[in-house]
Amino acid sequence: MSTMPIWIKDPLAILAEGAGRGLVVKDGRIVELVPAGAEPATAGAVAYDASGHVVIPGLINTHHHFYQTLTRALPAAMDRELFPWLKALYPIWAKLTPEALDAAVTVAMAELMLSGCTTTTDHHYVFPAGLDDAVGIEVEAAKRLGIRVLLTRGSMNLSERDGGLPPDSVVQDEDTILADSERVVAQFHQRGPDAMVQIALAPCSPFSVTGSLMQQTAALAEKLDVRLHTHLAETEDENRFCEAMFGCRPLDYLEKHGWLGPRTWLAHGIFFNADEMKRLGKAKTTISHCACSNQLLASGACPVCEMEDAGVGIGIGVDGSASNDGSNLMQELRAAFLMQRARYGVSRLSHKDALRWATKGSAACVGRPELGEIAVGNAADLALFKLDELRFSGASDPIAALVLCGAHRADRVMVGGRWTVIDGAIPGLDVAALIRRPSAAAERMRAG
């Protein structure tokens, strides 16, 4: 059904070339960039006055664990590195219920949207008894809010008794995982440039799944033509685990089981050596850089410049709210910029790199070239920010100000040509009630 074209008119600034007077949106896509001094060629376009807004492509989040919103700032997990951190949290996550998950995912998605995010992934791998329809719960929440999603059917089948990290209560057997992975793809995965819901397959990590599951999942993803995701090279502990358990480094393990290729994107990628980076680049496997989580868990820093020099695409992910304690993607890209600027210096990195990672770079991670850039033919996924807060006073470059001055809340967000955030709020969302729901669920899970 055709819709009235919208002219996003005369923005204060826009992250696009040749669009000084804005852009025109029709039927969910960008149909025209309007140069400075020109009028739209598109007939009947209704103007939206963007003179007080900085317009950028909608941000894309490439790694998250929505359910972890229920375990933010948890004392038992504080001041721990990854493996002991996981050990402290698994028993609580094992108590996850459908109602708690719905509350958690709604909070996570809402936070992301309000930060200018238009597309998000989620890595859900905890399936305790009674939570068989976790992906379905996430799909329904995404539809209610209007955010574009790439949800993963995650998995764990290597428990403590088998030499893995998770307890028995949160793992499933391989046949169950593979059958449900096929079901979820058949039920929810949409194809094409207008897709709002897509599914990927995502064994959790080398220390929580078997080699057989890794290999079978890769084969299934090939058969179903969906993407693959997992954590890799996040800590030195992981390197030691893989060498002791499998006799090889994590990337060798990945390649051995058929994962090294363009359908795969990996979370973290901190501890790759130079040869491994070249192999990743050649394979067109991409990396989700999660700066806040890496800092909080003291894991290290993704070597983004060496990665890009080797041809590896970089996206941005907020990671789970138990290791970031927030789902603000604009703040995440600022954290990534600051972390990497400190590492590489002013001559190598600018705020533009961080914006690129969170837009075009992230679009490559999720396999959606029609996202992440304000260009004719692309999806009309946009984030509009005002610079009317104290933090921006005195700023000269509006786009740089978003990163350098610390923008954290979008005024308007558009997904597929539809406004999903208006005046800094999600229409119809009762925020006060939403805050209460996960808080109560978290308290019940902690109490046991």
Side-chain angles (χ1 to χ4, degrees):
M1 183 172 112
S2 183
T3 56
M4 189 75 74
I6 301 171
W7 175 18
I8 311 295
K9 180 182 177 182
D10 295 332
L12 177 65
I14 184 168
L15 192 60
E17 295 292 329
R21 294 213 69 197
L23 68 147
V24 179
V25 170
K26 189 174 191 298
D27 297 335
R29 311 201 77 71
I30 298 168
V31 296
E32 183 182 354
L33 302 184
V34 186
E39 295 285 322
T42 307
V46 176
Y48 174 76
D49 180 8
S51 59
H53 292 92
V54 181
V55 181
I56 64 172
L59 304 177
I60 300 169
N61 177 40
T62 58
H63 188 61
H64 207 325
H65 308 291
F66 292 160
Y67 75 91
Q68 291 183 10
T69 303
L70 299 163
T71 48
R72 298 199 235 217
L74 189 74
M78 286 181 189
D79 305 322
R80 293 171 181 245
E81 294 181 357
L82 179 65
F83 277 24
W85 174 86
L86 283 167
K87 288 275 195 180
L89 286 162
Y90 276 136
I92 298 173
W93 294 340
K95 299 167 189 171
L96 193 61
T97 65
E99 295 77 17
L101 180 63
D102 179 69
V105 302
T106 304
V107 166
M109 291 181 192
E111 280 188 90
L112 286 164
M113 290 169 65
L114 292 171
S115 72
C117 178
T118 52
T119 298
T120 185
T121 64
D122 184 51
H123 189 183
H124 187 88
Y125 53 81
V126 176
F127 290 86
L131 197 60
D132 298 334
D133 194 32
V135 175
I137 290 168
E138 295 192 322
V139 169
E140 289 307 309
K143 288 179 177 177
R144 288 196 305 268
L145 292 168
I147 191 169
R148 206 183 294 273
V149 289
L150 172 56
L151 304 170
T152 72
R153 203 305 180 180
S155 55
M156 297 192 294
N157 75 328
L158 189 71
S159 68
E160 286 176 306
R161 66 182 176 187
D162 303 312
L165 217 61
D168 295 347
S169 58
V170 294
V171 302
Q172 297 174 300
D173 65 79
E174 183 176 306
D175 289 344
T176 297
I177 290 165
L178 294 172
D180 194 56
S181 295
E182 194 154 7
R183 174 193 69 82
V184 167
V185 172
Q187 185 172 350
F188 299 118
H189 186 71
Q190 300 170 357
R191 301 188 185 273
D194 297 319
M196 289 295 293
V197 177
Q198 293 194 321
I199 304 296
L201 305 183
C204 182
S205 61
F207 48 82
S208 55
V209 299
T210 61
S212 174
L213 180 60
M214 288 291 286
Q215 192 157 334
Q216 292 301 316
T217 300
L220 184 60
E222 184 78 24
K223 171 188 167 185
L224 302 177
D225 189 23
V226 296
R227 296 186 76 74
L228 286 166
H229 184 53
T230 193
H231 301 91
L232 207 76
E234 183 176 359
T235 67
E236 289 285 18
D237 281 349
E238 181 186 321
N239 283 336
R240 288 188 287 268
F241 179 93
C242 285
E243 287 166 352
M245 191 86 171
F246 311 122
C248 61
R249 285 173 58 83
L251 190 67
D252 299 324
Y253 178 77
L254 203 72
E255 186 170 26
K256 176 183 175 182
H257 292 103
W259 273 65
L260 201 54
R263 75 172 66 250
T264 299
W265 89 103
L266 304 170
H268 303 298
I270 296 170
F271 293 101
F272 291 124
N273 60 37
D275 174 69
E276 290 168 338
M277 292 181 207
K278 289 176 185 174
R279 288 159 60 194
L280 287 164
K282 185 177 180 181
K284 302 300 179 188
T285 298
T286 51
I287 299 294
S288 174
H289 175 32
C290 306
C292 288
S293 169
N294 295 161
Q295 291 175 91
L296 192 142
L297 293 174
S299 300
C302 177
V304 292
C305 289
E306 289 89 342
M307 288 274 201
E308 291 193 315
D309 288 345
V312 183
I314 301 293
I316 295 289
V318 299
D319 205 357
S321 289
S323 64
N324 181 333
D325 301 294
S327 301
N328 190 305
L329 191 50
M330 180 54 80
Q331 289 185 347
E332 186 70 35
L333 76 86
R334 183 174 192 264
F337 163 68
L338 292 174
M339 169 188 268
Q340 301 299 345
R341 170 62 73 84
R343 178 174 183 147
Y344 292 105
V346 297
S347 63
R348 190 68 196 270
L349 275 170
S350 81
H351 65 278
K352 295 176 184 177
D353 292 297
L355 285 164
R356 173 174 55 82
W357 296 332
T359 53
K360 287 186 71 173
S362 287
C365 286
V366 299
R368 301 291 299 269
E370 72 280 7
L371 307 179
E373 184 178 12
I374 297 174
V376 172
N378 277 9
D381 288 12
L382 306 167
L384 283 66
F385 291 82
K386 284 187 171 181
L387 304 185
D388 57 358
E389 299 175 66
L390 285 172
R391 71 182 68 228
F392 299 114
S393 61
S396 298
D397 182 326
I399 290 174
L402 296 180
V403 181
L404 303 181
C405 303
H408 64 97
R409 193 172 186 119
D411 183 65
R412 286 249 173 175
V413 174
M414 175 180 281
V415 179
R418 186 172 74 87
W419 293 117
T420 56
V421 173
I422 298 174
D423 299 332
I426 298 170
L429 184 67
D430 185 339
V431 174
L434 181 57
I435 290 171
R436 289 193 294 271
R437 285 180 61 209
S439 297
E443 188 174 347
R444 287 193 294 271
M445 288 170 64
R446 291 193 301 268

